[in-house]
Amino acid sequence: MVGEIISVGTELLLGNIVNTNAAYLAEQCAALGVSCYYQTCVGDNEERLTETLKTAFKRSDVVILTGGLGPTQDDLTKEVVAKLMQLKLVEDSKAKEMLISYFEKRGIEITDNNWKQALVPEQSIVMYNDNGTAPGIIAEKGKKTAILLPGPPGEMKPMFEKYVVDYFKQRNPFVISSVTVKLCGIGESKVESEIKDLIDKQDNPTIATYAKTGEVHLRVTAKAENEKEALKLIRPVVKKLKTRFGEKVFTTEESVTLEQAFVDLLLANNLTVCTVESCTGGLVSARLINVPGVSEVYKFGHVTYSNKAKRKIVGVKKSTLEKYTAVSEQVALQMVKGAGVFSKADVAISVTGIAGPEGGTEDIPVGTVFIACDVKGNTRVEKFQFKGNRTKIRENAVAAALTLSRKCVLEYITQVSFGNKKDK
Amino acid sequence: MVGEIISVGTELLLGNIVNTNAAYLAEQCAALGVSCYYQTCVGDNEERLTETLKTAFKRSDVVILTGGLGPTQDDLTKEVVAKLMQLKLVEDSKAKEMLISYFEKRGIEITDNNWKQALVPEQSIVMYNDNGTAPGIIAEKGKKTAILLPGPPGEMKPMFEKYVVDYFKQRNPFVISSVTVKLCGIGESKVESEIKDLIDKQDNPTIATYAKTGEVHLRVTAKAENEKEALKLIRPVVKKLKTRFGEKVFTTEESVTLEQAFVDLLLANNLTVCTVESCTGGLVSARLINVPGVSEVYKFGHVTYSNKAKRKIVGVKKSTLEKYTAVSEQVALQMVKGAGVFSKADVAISVTGIAGPEGGTEDIPVGTVFIACDVKGNTRVEKFQFKGNRTKIRENAVAAALTLSRKCVLEYITQVSFGNKKDK
């Protein structure tokens, strides 16, 4: 099936917002086996939208449109589609009811222009909107289909997942399924070279690599008659990847983040954690606190940006700061030790570095970061050299801190189970 | 002048990356007076790219293309444009030299496919690439222009700013300039209703509102013969907006963020700051530490997510936690007091709230956040009720904390200058 995406909205043409809808829809379509060769953005303009639609229907079976479904005069996507497909607009009683209840709940009076949101092209599938007022529509005529979705991502995505995914699955004689294997502590090119043999001979399933900050994701995708058959094809490849990359695989669940995997690891082993941060300024703790339920393991965190704070809060020695400077292995170690002792957490993480743009020297250039981790007295410190601007360097440092800490905890667990590590 | 944007790249069609280039170019074009009515994404495919280009040239004077300028066989944007415009590809000696030097510097041997990057359509303007290997091109034929830019934003944007801005300014008989007035502590609809009169009668300059998390930006844009004339039109409107919104205007500089404005305010008044955070988990301190040079004013920060941490680190009383719960005015006040006393900072900020998704009650639903600020003993606490998911609630809380703290500092400064506030 060939599809294409049309994003309607003057705000896109003016660059006021970035078109994340198109990327989302493109990714979903690829996963559902719908090939999309074109994406177009056009304003809320009848003539231009009509032309764009005509061109799209000439070359595609399914046209997915977002935006222009609202109550104002500007919103004309539905009207243009109905006219071109020669479908009458009729009132949908459930859509009307939902509209009334939406406004009643909020205690707002419905203005006249809102009623047009209850109109839908005759014989179409109506996608009721749980997160806004404009319903979506799947309209078919002959061999062509138009799928109309609201513009706000918070309304569009749940609607796509609730209605459109099933619609495509029904129309497509096969399903496309995928599992993502997420790695940390290894670069994209290293990953690619280690699975070159698998990529070279790939057919079904396929393997695609995606580089994220501090992570590499491998998406294994298979095409089959049904979900079960697809997973049967995927499973041995995922197993192979897990064997090759070992502990570097932190999850194979789409929804699990690195911080979630780390917090789960701590929870499973009854370990608590604390953080002390300089250049990352609280971002490591903020990422841990992204995880709901982290209060079970998170003791507390400190942001010691200045030298004085490093001394006062976590007892870094003045002489160490003078001799080695704040961005040094020695200071990272004293930070992690001080934090651990004070908080009595089982795991302590420290980060000190120089995020720039000012303050770099020949010996310690911008991007130098020391990260230390202590797990019940077993301490490790590593030096990193990151590239990019202040934000990029800090984001990389956060990912590296989580990766290193996870590694230290895993090592500790392994060693303890063999009885040859100190346990305070 | 009518322009349009074509983004070339299969990775866009698969949704692997979000098309931020199109938004950037659209915004730049709007500012330069180039009207863009269409944006198209197409893959690295000769036939489809040729069709897309033909359609674009029929309806636009200038077509801006990004992507497909690299060394591989897939990259064919330049070849397709040259063929369609009937321009021969010729070697550009400076581009060749730069290519050689780029590889020499990195100690890499040039592979044969790289040489094609030194080829450019005859008589075109070559835009040399300071951040990569592929040069950009401005090719003219008759009344039509094609502007070819590399795909990576880090190469595309500097090239656009160095070459294309001037090219458009020369071709356009007028300039478009704008100034952004940034507000905090006021919602978008309130802003719009307060300037309805200005918006209704707007012509040149125009005023556009943009809602950001916790901020509203007003962009005042004028069209004139030159920059100076444009600013002459803009200035009185900016002045009017400043008068209407008073202290809510935190900057009129495009590059200044809310955290930067707050840090500048602290610097100018010799005030230091500390933070103590619960639900925001370090995000307030991390935003302050976004600002280079913040070490002058930032004392230190604590993340006290658990009740125990609140007691141990900033001395919140057990009885207060028991009586009022952690998400209360009383705890926010004790947190801010404890942080201030311990750090001896002039300004202390505390945040405690419930970011969800679990843990809400009828009395304290998810999204309830208390923020307190103390400026040298003058304390204020406010309750907020935010909507959205965990991330959204936390981001809103961070913006509210910065906004409230800025307000408290401004009040303190005003009162001190009238001599009627306590100063410890």
Side-chain angles (χ1 to χ4, degrees):
Chain A
M1 201 183 344
V2 174
E4 90 175 67
I5 298 162
I6 300 178
S7 312
V8 186
T10 305
E11 68 279 21
L12 291 164
L13 289 183
L14 291 172
N16 298 343
I17 53 171
V18 172
N19 193 355
T20 55
N21 281 351
Y24 168 85
L25 290 170
E27 203 173 16
Q28 290 282 333
C29 285
L32 290 159
V34 180
S35 307
C36 291
Y37 300 123
Y38 297 93
Q39 297 169 4
T40 313
C41 275
V42 61
D44 304 286
N45 173 288
E46 185 171 345
E47 196 191 324
R48 288 193 284 267
L49 179 53
T50 305
E51 274 314 301
T52 305
L53 252 175
K54 273 189 194 165
T55 308
F57 274 132
K58 261 182 224 154
R59 58 196 184 192
S60 302
D61 311 311
V62 181
V63 181
I64 305 176
L65 298 108
T66 56
L69 297 184
T72 74
Q73 286 240 317
D74 281 356
D75 297 302
L76 40 75
T77 303
K78 190 167 57 186
E79 290 75 6
V80 167
V81 170
K83 196 171 164 188
L84 192 69
M85 294 179 99
Q86 294 174 294
L87 295 169
K88 251 191 272 176
L89 286 173
V90 295
E91 192 176 88
D92 182 82
S93 56
K94 190 176 168 192
K96 193 178 175 183
E97 263 170 49
M98 285 182 72
L99 205 58
I100 294 171
S101 121
Y102 183 94
F103 281 93
E104 263 178 8
K105 257 190 204 158
R106 283 158 184 79
I108 316 169
E109 212 173 313
I110 309 187
T111 51
D112 278 347
N113 55 1
N114 272 293
W115 297 117
K116 83 165 187 143
Q117 294 183 95
L119 296 177
V120 302
E122 52 185 343
Q123 291 153 355
S124 60
I125 301 167
V126 183
M127 301 186 280
Y128 299 100
N129 191 339
D130 298 326
N131 303 287
T133 55
I137 290 146
I138 301 179
E140 295 173 327
K141 181 95 182 206
K143 287 186 173 175
K144 302 292 177 181
T145 303
I147 299 179
L148 283 68
L149 295 160
E155 301 178 30
M156 187 276 285
K157 290 182 187 177
M159 194 180 281
F160 189 93
E161 277 150 36
K162 189 169 170 184
Y163 295 94
V164 186
V165 169
D166 281 344
Y167 178 78
F168 280 140
K169 280 188 177 167
Q170 272 168 26
R171 277 196 51 174
N172 252 349
F174 53 81
V175 303
I176 306 269
S177 277
S178 61
V179 168
T180 303
V181 178
K182 298 184 183 177
L183 312 175
C184 64
I186 184 166
E188 191 186 16
S189 55
K190 186 97 198 295
V191 169
E192 278 179 347
S193 76
E194 289 198 12
I195 54 168
K196 201 178 170 302
D197 58 324
L198 298 177
I199 288 181
D200 282 350
K201 66 172 186 204
Q202 71 179 357
D203 173 30
N204 187 25
T206 57
I207 307 174
T209 28
Y210 302 92
K212 313 270 166 182
T213 303
E215 301 175 24
V216 178
H217 295 187
L218 295 171
R219 189 181 298 153
V220 185
T221 306
K223 192 169 165 173
E225 264 181 31
N226 56 52
E227 189 86 15
K228 204 176 150 188
E229 290 301 312
L231 283 175
K232 218 184 252 176
L233 293 167
I234 291 170
R235 227 171 277 130
V237 179
V238 169
K239 201 176 160 189
K240 234 178 239 171
L241 294 173
K242 278 176 143 180
T243 311
R244 290 212 186 168
F245 294 108
E247 283 179 1
K248 290 192 166 61
V249 177
F250 65 87
T251 189
T252 56
E253 298 288 325
E254 191 57 51
S255 63
V256 172
T257 58
L258 179 55
E259 57 267 28
Q260 173 84 60
F262 180 57
V263 168
D264 288 347
L265 182 69
L266 296 174
L267 278 167
N269 290 281
N270 275 317
L271 296 169
T272 56
V273 65
C274 73
T275 55
V276 52
E277 305 176 57
S278 185
C279 64
T280 47
L283 289 175
V284 175
S285 65
R287 260 190 81 173
L288 290 175
I289 291 172
N290 273 342
V291 183
V294 71
S295 49
E296 297 284 315
V297 297
Y298 186 81
K299 284 251 176 176
F300 44 76
H302 299 293
V303 180
T304 58
Y305 195 63
S306 65
N307 280 357
K308 212 169 164 186
K310 288 183 186 70
R311 286 167 53 201
K312 189 163 170 184
I313 311 264
V314 282
V316 174
K317 286 184 192 146
K318 198 177 173 185
S319 57
T320 312
L321 285 162
E322 278 167 3
K323 191 165 171 192
Y324 300 103
T325 82
V327 181
S328 63
E329 194 178 304
Q330 290 79 3
V331 167
L333 284 170
Q334 288 188 10
M335 283 168 74
V336 87
K337 200 171 168 195
V341 168
F342 184 52
S343 70
K344 295 197 186 106
D346 303 313
V347 181
I349 307 167
S350 75
V351 185
T352 179
I354 179 150
E358 305 296 320
T361 63
E362 207 168 300
D363 290 342
I364 311 169
V366 168
T368 309
V369 177
F370 289 90
I371 300 174
C373 180
D374 179 288
V375 184
K376 293 202 179 197
N378 304 287
T379 313
R380 177 196 284 248
V381 60
E382 280 187 19
K383 183 182 177 176
F384 297 86
Q385 192 64 52
F386 298 117
K387 277 182 193 143
N389 62 16
R390 188 171 173 89
T391 303
K392 199 83 201 134
I393 289 168
R394 292 170 76 208
E395 281 173 0
N396 272 304
V398 174
L402 292 174
T403 300
L404 179 64
S405 308
R406 181 176 166 274
K407 193 172 161 189
C408 291
V409 170
L410 285 172
E411 268 177 15
Y412 171 80
I413 295 164
T414 316
Q415 305 267 344
V416 160
S417 64
F418 286 102
N420 53 4
K421 266 265 163 152
K422 58 176 162 167
D423 190 347
K424 67 179 173 188
Chain B
M1 199 181 349
V2 175
E4 88 176 69
I5 298 161
I6 300 177
S7 312
V8 186
T10 304
E11 66 280 20
L12 291 165
L13 290 184
L14 291 173
N16 298 343
I17 54 170
V18 172
N19 193 354
T20 55
N21 280 351
Y24 168 85
L25 291 170
E27 203 173 15
Q28 291 281 334
C29 284
L32 290 159
V34 180
S35 307
C36 291
Y37 301 122
Y38 297 94
Q39 297 169 4
T40 314
C41 275
V42 61
D44 304 287
N45 172 289
E46 185 170 347
E47 196 193 324
R48 288 193 283 267
L49 179 53
T50 305
E51 273 315 302
T52 305
L53 251 175
K54 272 188 193 165
T55 308
F57 274 133
K58 260 181 224 155
R59 57 195 184 191
S60 303
D61 310 312
V62 181
V63 180
I64 306 176
L65 298 107
T66 56
L69 297 183
T72 75
Q73 285 238 318
D74 281 354
D75 297 302
L76 40 74
T77 303
K78 188 166 60 187
E79 290 74 6
V80 167
V81 170
K83 196 172 165 190
L84 191 69
M85 295 180 95
Q86 295 174 296
L87 295 167
K88 251 190 272 176
L89 286 172
V90 295
E91 192 174 270
D92 181 84
S93 56
K94 189 174 167 195
K96 192 177 176 183
E97 263 171 47
M98 284 182 72
L99 205 58
I100 294 170
S101 121
Y102 182 94
F103 280 92
E104 262 179 7
K105 256 191 203 158
R106 283 157 183 80
I108 318 170
E109 211 173 311
I110 310 190
T111 51
D112 278 347
N113 55 1
N114 272 294
W115 297 118
K116 82 165 188 146
Q117 294 183 94
L119 296 177
V120 301
E122 54 186 341
Q123 291 154 356
S124 60
I125 302 167
V126 183
M127 301 186 279
Y128 299 101
N129 191 340
D130 298 326
N131 303 286
T133 54
I137 290 147
I138 300 178
E140 295 172 326
K141 181 97 182 205
K143 286 183 174 177
K144 302 292 177 182
T145 304
I147 300 179
L148 284 68
L149 295 160
E155 299 177 31
M156 186 276 286
K157 290 182 188 177
M159 194 181 279
F160 189 93
E161 278 150 35
K162 189 169 171 184
Y163 294 94
V164 186
V165 170
D166 281 345
Y167 177 78
F168 279 139
K169 280 188 178 167
Q170 272 168 27
R171 277 196 51 174
N172 251 350
F174 54 83
V175 303
I176 306 271
S177 276
S178 62
V179 168
T180 303
V181 179
K182 298 185 185 177
L183 312 176
C184 63
I186 185 166
E188 191 187 16
S189 55
K190 186 98 199 297
V191 169
E192 278 180 348
S193 75
E194 288 198 14
I195 55 168
K196 200 179 171 299
D197 59 321
L198 298 178
I199 287 180
D200 281 350
K201 66 173 189 206
Q202 71 180 355
D203 173 31
N204 188 24
T206 56
I207 307 174
T209 27
Y210 302 93
K212 314 268 168 186
T213 302
E215 300 176 22
V216 178
H217 295 185
L218 295 171
R219 190 181 300 153
V220 185
T221 307
K223 191 168 164 174
E225 263 181 30
N226 55 53
E227 189 85 15
K228 205 177 150 189
E229 290 301 313
L231 283 175
K232 219 185 251 177
L233 292 167
I234 291 170
R235 229 172 274 129
V237 178
V238 169
K239 203 177 159 190
K240 235 177 238 173
L241 294 172
K242 278 176 144 178
T243 312
R244 290 213 187 168
F245 294 107
E247 283 180 1
K248 291 191 164 60
V249 176
F250 65 86
T251 188
T252 55
E253 298 288 325
E254 192 57 52
S255 65
V256 172
T257 58
L258 180 55
E259 58 266 30
Q260 173 85 59
F262 180 57
V263 168
D264 287 347
L265 182 69
L266 296 173
L267 278 168
N269 291 281
N270 275 317
L271 296 169
T272 56
V273 65
C274 73
T275 55
V276 52
E277 304 176 58
S278 185
C279 64
T280 46
L283 289 175
V284 175
S285 65
R287 260 190 81 175
L288 291 174
I289 292 172
N290 274 342
V291 183
V294 69
S295 49
E296 298 285 317
V297 296
Y298 186 81
K299 282 250 171 174
F300 45 76
H302 299 294
V303 181
T304 59
Y305 194 63
S306 66
N307 281 356
K308 211 169 165 184
K310 287 182 186 72
R311 286 166 55 200
K312 189 163 174 183
I313 311 264
V314 282
V316 174
K317 284 183 196 148
K318 199 178 174 186
S319 56
T320 311
L321 285 162
E322 279 167 3
K323 191 166 172 191
Y324 300 103
T325 83
V327 181
S328 64
E329 195 179 302
Q330 290 79 3
V331 167
L333 284 170
Q334 288 188 11
M335 283 168 73
V336 86
K337 199 171 171 195
V341 167
F342 184 54
S343 70
K344 295 197 187 109
D346 303 313
V347 181
I349 307 168
S350 76
V351 185
T352 180
I354 178 148
E358 304 296 321
T361 64
E362 207 168 299
D363 290 342
I364 311 168
V366 167
T368 309
V369 178
F370 290 89
I371 300 174
C373 179
D374 179 288
V375 184
K376 293 203 179 195
N378 305 285
T379 313
R380 178 196 283 249
V381 60
E382 279 187 21
K383 183 183 178 177
F384 297 85
Q385 192 63 51
F386 298 117
K387 278 183 192 139
N389 62 17
R390 190 172 172 88
T391 304
K392 198 82 202 138
I393 289 168
R394 293 168 76 207
E395 281 173 1
N396 273 305
V398 174
L402 292 173
T403 300
L404 179 65
S405 308
R406 180 177 167 273
K407 193 172 158 189
C408 291
V409 169
L410 285 171
E411 269 176 16
Y412 171 79
I413 294 163
T414 316
Q415 305 267 347
V416 160
S417 64
F418 286 101
N420 52 3
K421 268 263 161 157
K422 57 178 163 167
D423 192 347
K424 67 180 176 192

